[in-house]
């Protein structure tokens, strides 16, 4: 199975609802590498990298998110797996 990487921006009510902590927990559960951070415009960005099936599962999970969030959009673009460091971290 090939590894893939995706840079994602999640918009809606996604700050102040533990979205980053939830993302880190889900990503680690799926064995993904990368990072998640809040953006100034109120969105959350994440780089997720790992087995294609796990990346797809995480992209689907972003639409659900943690309790209290309201996801309006999940925009993704292809990234390089080399851009993701080992493990999954909250960067800001």
């Amino acid at each position: 199975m090939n590894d893939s990487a995706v840079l994602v921006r999640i918009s809606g009510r996604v700050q102040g609802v533990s979205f980053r902590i939830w993302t880190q927990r889900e990503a680690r559960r799926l064995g993904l590498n990368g990072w998640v951070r809040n953006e100034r415009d109120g969105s959350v960005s994440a780089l997720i990298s790992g087995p294609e099936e796990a990346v797809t599962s995480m992209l689907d999970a972003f639409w659900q998110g943690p309790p209290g969030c309201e996801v309006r959009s999940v925009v993704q673009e292809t990234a390089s797996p080399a851009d993701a460091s080992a493990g999954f971290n909250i960067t800001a």
Side-chain angles (χ1 to χ4, degrees):
M1 187 179 297
N2 293 336
D3 276 5
S4 64
V6 181
L7 184 61
V8 186
R9 183 169 291 231
I10 304 103
S11 299
R13 188 168 49 150
V14 292
Q15 290 190 14
V17 292
S18 301
F19 203 97
R20 292 175 300 162
I21 293 167
W22 173 88
T23 298
Q24 182 182 51
R25 188 177 305 126
E26 286 295 304
R28 286 179 173 171
R29 183 181 66 80
L30 291 167
L32 294 170
N33 294 317
W35 50 260
V36 61
R37 68 177 178 227
N38 282 342
E39 299 294 347
R40 290 183 187 195
D41 65 1
S43 67
V44 169
S45 290
L47 175 66
I48 56 173
S49 176
E52 200 168 323
E53 186 176 299
V55 169
T56 299
S57 294
M58 190 71 213
L59 290 171
D60 291 342
F62 278 134
W63 284 101
Q64 181 71 33
C69 79
E70 290 180 17
V71 175
R72 279 194 229 107
S73 70
V74 177
V75 178
Q76 64 188 65
E77 62 183 71
T78 303
S80 169
D83 292 338
S85 57
F88 200 93
N89 301 298
I90 297 171
T91 60

